[in-house]
mmCIF file of all heavy atoms in Angstrom:
data_model
loop_
_atom_site.group_PDB
_atom_site.id
_atom_site.type_symbol
_atom_site.label_atom_id
_atom_site.label_comp_id
_atom_site.label_asym_id
_atom_site.label_seq_id
_atom_site.Cartn_x
_atom_site.Cartn_y
_atom_site.Cartn_z
ATOM 1 N N VAL A 194 -19.681 37.481 42.499
ATOM 2 C CA VAL A 194 -20.307 37.119 43.729
ATOM 3 C C VAL A 194 -21.517 37.998 43.903
ATOM 4 O O VAL A 194 -21.415 39.151 44.047
ATOM 5 C CB VAL A 194 -19.329 37.080 44.957
ATOM 6 C CG1 VAL A 194 -20.014 36.631 46.136
ATOM 7 C CG2 VAL A 194 -18.011 36.336 44.511
ATOM 8 N N GLU A 195 -22.678 37.333 44.034
ATOM 9 C CA GLU A 195 -23.940 38.025 44.105
ATOM 10 C C GLU A 195 -24.351 38.266 45.622
ATOM 11 O O GLU A 195 -24.521 37.301 46.218
ATOM 12 C CB GLU A 195 -25.047 37.277 43.408
ATOM 13 C CG GLU A 195 -26.441 37.874 43.421
ATOM 14 C CD GLU A 195 -26.451 39.305 42.911
ATOM 15 O OE1 GLU A 195 -26.159 39.492 41.743
ATOM 16 O OE2 GLU A 195 -26.925 40.074 43.632
ATOM 17 N N ASP A 196 -24.510 39.471 45.995
ATOM 18 C CA ASP A 196 -24.768 39.708 47.298
ATOM 19 C C ASP A 196 -26.077 40.465 47.618
ATOM 20 O O ASP A 196 -26.417 40.855 48.715
ATOM 21 C CB ASP A 196 -23.635 40.484 48.133
ATOM 22 C CG ASP A 196 -23.449 41.932 47.684
ATOM 23 O OD1 ASP A 196 -24.061 42.335 46.604
ATOM 24 O OD2 ASP A 196 -22.624 42.614 48.266
ATOM 25 N N LYS A 197 -26.897 40.571 46.538
ATOM 26 C CA LYS A 197 -28.157 41.137 46.762
ATOM 27 C C LYS A 197 -29.276 40.103 46.491
ATOM 28 O O LYS A 197 -29.993 39.929 47.384
ATOM 29 C CB LYS A 197 -28.345 42.341 45.710
ATOM 30 C CG LYS A 197 -29.698 42.969 45.658
ATOM 31 C CD LYS A 197 -29.773 44.213 44.685
ATOM 32 C CE LYS A 197 -31.086 44.758 44.671
ATOM 33 N NZ LYS A 197 -31.371 45.510 43.412
ATOM 34 N N TYR A 198 -29.269 39.523 45.415
ATOM 35 C CA TYR A 198 -30.236 38.454 45.139
ATOM 36 C C TYR A 198 -29.907 37.129 45.640
ATOM 37 O O TYR A 198 -28.662 36.941 45.693
ATOM 38 C CB TYR A 198 -30.509 38.328 43.651
ATOM 39 C CG TYR A 198 -30.961 39.619 42.993
ATOM 40 C CD1 TYR A 198 -30.252 40.393 42.165
ATOM 41 C CD2 TYR A 198 -32.352 40.090 43.141
ATOM 42 C CE1 TYR A 198 -30.654 41.560 41.604
ATOM 43 C CE2 TYR A 198 -32.663 41.325 42.774
ATOM 44 C CZ TYR A 198 -31.757 42.058 41.878
ATOM 45 O OH TYR A 198 -32.191 43.215 41.344
ATOM 46 N N VAL A 199 -30.855 36.283 45.977
ATOM 47 C CA VAL A 199 -30.477 34.928 46.355
ATOM 48 C C VAL A 199 -31.136 33.958 45.441
ATOM 49 O O VAL A 199 -32.147 34.185 44.826
ATOM 50 C CB VAL A 199 -30.734 34.534 47.935
ATOM 51 C CG1 VAL A 199 -29.979 35.519 48.804
ATOM 52 C CG2 VAL A 199 -32.329 34.580 48.160
ATOM 53 N N ARG A 200 -30.630 32.632 45.292
ATOM 54 C CA ARG A 200 -31.134 31.698 44.342
ATOM 55 C C ARG A 200 -32.130 30.720 45.214
ATOM 56 O O ARG A 200 -33.002 30.257 44.661
ATOM 57 C CB ARG A 200 -29.982 30.965 43.697
ATOM 58 C CG ARG A 200 -30.433 29.757 43.005
ATOM 59 C CD ARG A 200 -29.186 28.886 42.416
ATOM 60 N NE ARG A 200 -29.482 27.743 41.789
ATOM 61 C CZ ARG A 200 -29.836 26.605 42.450
ATOM 62 N NH1 ARG A 200 -29.782 26.436 43.796
ATOM 63 N NH2 ARG A 200 -30.100 25.499 41.789
ATOM 64 N N ALA A 201 -31.748 30.447 46.388
ATOM 65 C CA ALA A 201 -32.400 29.412 47.043
ATOM 66 C C ALA A 201 -32.257 29.486 48.675
ATOM 67 O O ALA A 201 -31.378 30.104 49.049
ATOM 68 C CB ALA A 201 -31.940 27.914 46.676
ATOM 69 N N VAL A 202 -33.221 29.067 49.266
ATOM 70 C CA VAL A 202 -33.184 29.094 50.784
ATOM 71 C C VAL A 202 -33.342 27.726 51.238
ATOM 72 O O VAL A 202 -33.881 26.802 50.677
ATOM 73 C CB VAL A 202 -34.218 29.986 51.385
ATOM 74 C CG1 VAL A 202 -33.905 31.540 51.146
ATOM 75 C CG2 VAL A 202 -35.618 29.629 50.876
ATOM 76 N N ARG A 203 -32.934 27.430 52.531
ATOM 77 C CA ARG A 203 -32.946 26.199 53.088
ATOM 78 C C ARG A 203 -34.585 25.804 53.320
ATOM 79 O O ARG A 203 -35.211 26.676 53.646
ATOM 80 C CB ARG A 203 -32.397 26.040 54.467
ATOM 81 C CG ARG A 203 -31.487 24.822 54.556
ATOM 82 C CD ARG A 203 -30.117 25.048 55.103
ATOM 83 N NE ARG A 203 -29.308 25.958 54.366
ATOM 84 C CZ ARG A 203 -28.288 26.705 54.852
ATOM 85 N NH1 ARG A 203 -28.056 26.573 56.083
ATOM 86 N NH2 ARG A 203 -27.701 27.595 54.068
ATOM 87 N N GLY A 204 -34.946 24.578 53.069
ATOM 88 C CA GLY A 204 -36.302 24.259 52.971
ATOM 89 C C GLY A 204 -37.031 24.601 51.665
ATOM 90 O O GLY A 204 -38.147 24.149 51.386
ATOM 91 N N GLY A 205 -36.360 25.180 50.718
ATOM 92 C CA GLY A 205 -36.868 25.536 49.501
ATOM 93 C C GLY A 205 -36.568 24.499 48.416
ATOM 94 O O GLY A 205 -36.417 23.162 48.811
ATOM 95 N N THR A 206 -36.327 24.851 47.217
ATOM 96 C CA THR A 206 -36.056 23.883 46.115
ATOM 97 C C THR A 206 -34.656 23.818 45.491
ATOM 98 O O THR A 206 -34.390 23.247 44.483
ATOM 99 C CB THR A 206 -36.998 24.169 44.946
ATOM 100 O OG1 THR A 206 -36.722 25.579 44.542
ATOM 101 C CG2 THR A 206 -38.445 24.083 45.327
ATOM 102 N N GLY A 207 -33.660 24.556 46.296
ATOM 103 C CA GLY A 207 -32.326 24.603 45.786
ATOM 104 C C GLY A 207 -31.737 23.285 45.405
ATOM 105 O O GLY A 207 -30.953 23.187 44.389
ATOM 106 N N PHE A 208 -32.058 22.111 46.101
ATOM 107 C CA PHE A 208 -31.348 20.881 45.796
ATOM 108 C C PHE A 208 -31.894 20.300 44.564
ATOM 109 O O PHE A 208 -31.520 19.168 44.107
ATOM 110 C CB PHE A 208 -31.410 20.043 46.971
ATOM 111 C CG PHE A 208 -32.850 19.368 47.270
ATOM 112 C CD1 PHE A 208 -33.324 18.237 46.794
ATOM 113 C CD2 PHE A 208 -33.638 20.214 48.101
ATOM 114 C CE1 PHE A 208 -34.666 17.716 47.118
ATOM 115 C CE2 PHE A 208 -34.969 19.769 48.403
ATOM 116 C CZ PHE A 208 -35.372 18.650 47.856
ATOM 117 N N THR A 209 -33.063 20.879 44.055
ATOM 118 C CA THR A 209 -33.724 20.156 42.878
ATOM 119 C C THR A 209 -33.238 20.892 41.526
ATOM 120 O O THR A 209 -32.708 21.932 41.580
ATOM 121 C CB THR A 209 -35.297 20.183 42.854
ATOM 122 O OG1 THR A 209 -35.621 21.582 42.617
ATOM 123 C CG2 THR A 209 -35.751 19.889 44.337
ATOM 124 N N LYS A 210 -33.581 20.237 40.363
ATOM 125 C CA LYS A 210 -33.354 20.937 39.129
ATOM 126 C C LYS A 210 -34.751 21.252 38.668
ATOM 127 O O LYS A 210 -35.290 20.677 37.600
ATOM 128 C CB LYS A 210 -32.637 19.934 38.241
ATOM 129 C CG LYS A 210 -31.212 20.359 37.881
ATOM 130 C CD LYS A 210 -30.370 19.425 36.955
ATOM 131 C CE LYS A 210 -29.855 20.065 35.688
ATOM 132 N NZ LYS A 210 -29.115 21.290 35.954
ATOM 133 N N CYS A 211 -35.366 22.153 39.363
ATOM 134 C CA CYS A 211 -36.527 22.683 38.953
ATOM 135 C C CYS A 211 -36.506 24.005 38.200
ATOM 136 O O CYS A 211 -35.520 24.760 38.381
ATOM 137 C CB CYS A 211 -37.556 22.869 40.153
ATOM 138 S SG CYS A 211 -37.263 24.287 41.157
ATOM 139 N N ALA A 212 -37.424 24.180 37.162
ATOM 140 C CA ALA A 212 -37.168 25.390 36.233
ATOM 141 C C ALA A 212 -37.059 26.707 37.125
ATOM 142 O O ALA A 212 -36.461 27.656 36.764
ATOM 143 C CB ALA A 212 -38.390 25.422 35.274
ATOM 144 N N GLY A 213 -37.962 26.713 38.179
ATOM 145 C CA GLY A 213 -38.075 27.996 38.933
ATOM 146 C C GLY A 213 -36.697 28.453 39.525
ATOM 147 O O GLY A 213 -36.453 29.713 39.633
ATOM 148 N N ASN A 214 -35.811 27.479 39.844
ATOM 149 C CA ASN A 214 -34.558 27.943 40.356
ATOM 150 C C ASN A 214 -33.722 28.777 39.281
ATOM 151 O O ASN A 214 -33.107 29.643 39.680
ATOM 152 C CB ASN A 214 -33.593 26.693 40.762
ATOM 153 C CG ASN A 214 -34.163 25.959 41.967
ATOM 154 O OD1 ASN A 214 -34.949 26.463 42.800
ATOM 155 N ND2 ASN A 214 -33.645 24.772 42.160
ATOM 156 N N TYR A 215 -33.891 28.362 38.040
ATOM 157 C CA TYR A 215 -33.299 29.026 36.998
ATOM 158 C C TYR A 215 -33.835 30.322 36.649
ATOM 159 O O TYR A 215 -33.198 31.364 36.448
ATOM 160 C CB TYR A 215 -33.082 28.053 35.806
ATOM 161 C CG TYR A 215 -32.229 26.848 36.195
ATOM 162 C CD1 TYR A 215 -32.865 25.751 37.016
ATOM 163 C CD2 TYR A 215 -30.860 26.803 36.035
ATOM 164 C CE1 TYR A 215 -32.147 24.604 37.275
ATOM 165 C CE2 TYR A 215 -30.071 25.658 36.552
ATOM 166 C CZ TYR A 215 -30.747 24.741 37.089
ATOM 167 O OH TYR A 215 -29.977 23.597 37.691
ATOM 168 N N ALA A 216 -35.174 30.319 36.747
ATOM 169 C CA ALA A 216 -35.951 31.618 36.470
ATOM 170 C C ALA A 216 -35.528 32.632 37.428
ATOM 171 O O ALA A 216 -35.240 33.792 37.144
ATOM 172 C CB ALA A 216 -37.535 31.388 36.631
ATOM 173 N N ALA A 217 -35.450 32.303 38.644
ATOM 174 C CA ALA A 217 -34.952 33.080 39.785
ATOM 175 C C ALA A 217 -33.540 33.579 39.662
ATOM 176 O O ALA A 217 -33.233 34.602 40.292
ATOM 177 C CB ALA A 217 -35.220 32.434 41.221
ATOM 178 N N SER A 218 -32.798 32.986 38.798
ATOM 179 C CA SER A 218 -31.291 33.336 38.750
ATOM 180 C C SER A 218 -31.001 34.188 37.541
ATOM 181 O O SER A 218 -30.020 34.786 37.521
ATOM 182 C CB SER A 218 -30.527 32.036 38.589
ATOM 183 O OG SER A 218 -30.576 31.571 37.247
ATOM 184 N N ILE A 219 -32.091 34.480 36.624
ATOM 185 C CA ILE A 219 -31.634 34.931 35.392
ATOM 186 C C ILE A 219 -31.347 36.489 35.528
ATOM 187 O O ILE A 219 -30.361 36.972 34.833
ATOM 188 C CB ILE A 219 -32.895 34.817 34.377
ATOM 189 C CG1 ILE A 219 -32.797 33.292 33.834
ATOM 190 C CG2 ILE A 219 -32.796 35.617 33.148
ATOM 191 C CD1 ILE A 219 -33.999 32.779 33.000
ATOM 192 N N LEU A 220 -32.058 37.161 36.355
ATOM 193 C CA LEU A 220 -31.804 38.644 36.564
ATOM 194 C C LEU A 220 -30.429 38.900 36.989
ATOM 195 O O LEU A 220 -29.674 39.733 36.412
ATOM 196 C CB LEU A 220 -32.813 39.279 37.635
ATOM 197 C CG LEU A 220 -32.608 40.806 37.894
ATOM 198 C CD1 LEU A 220 -32.676 41.641 36.594
ATOM 199 C CD2 LEU A 220 -33.586 41.220 38.938
ATOM 200 N N ALA A 221 -30.005 38.200 38.091
ATOM 201 C CA ALA A 221 -28.601 38.446 38.614
ATOM 202 C C ALA A 221 -27.592 38.060 37.600
ATOM 203 O O ALA A 221 -26.601 38.734 37.261
ATOM 204 C CB ALA A 221 -28.400 37.643 39.767
ATOM 205 N N GLY A 222 -27.962 36.946 36.733
ATOM 206 C CA GLY A 222 -26.956 36.506 35.695
ATOM 207 C C GLY A 222 -26.872 37.469 34.598
ATOM 208 O O GLY A 222 -25.758 37.706 34.144
#
Side-chain angles (χ1 to χ4, degrees):
V194 181
E195 177 57 55
D196 66 350
K197 179 175 176 201
Y198 300 107
V199 298
R200 170 187 176 273
V202 289
R203 228 134 302 156
T206 57
F208 69 93
T209 73
K210 248 176 124 58
C211 73
N214 288 345
Y215 297 83
S218 78
I219 288 174
L220 175 59

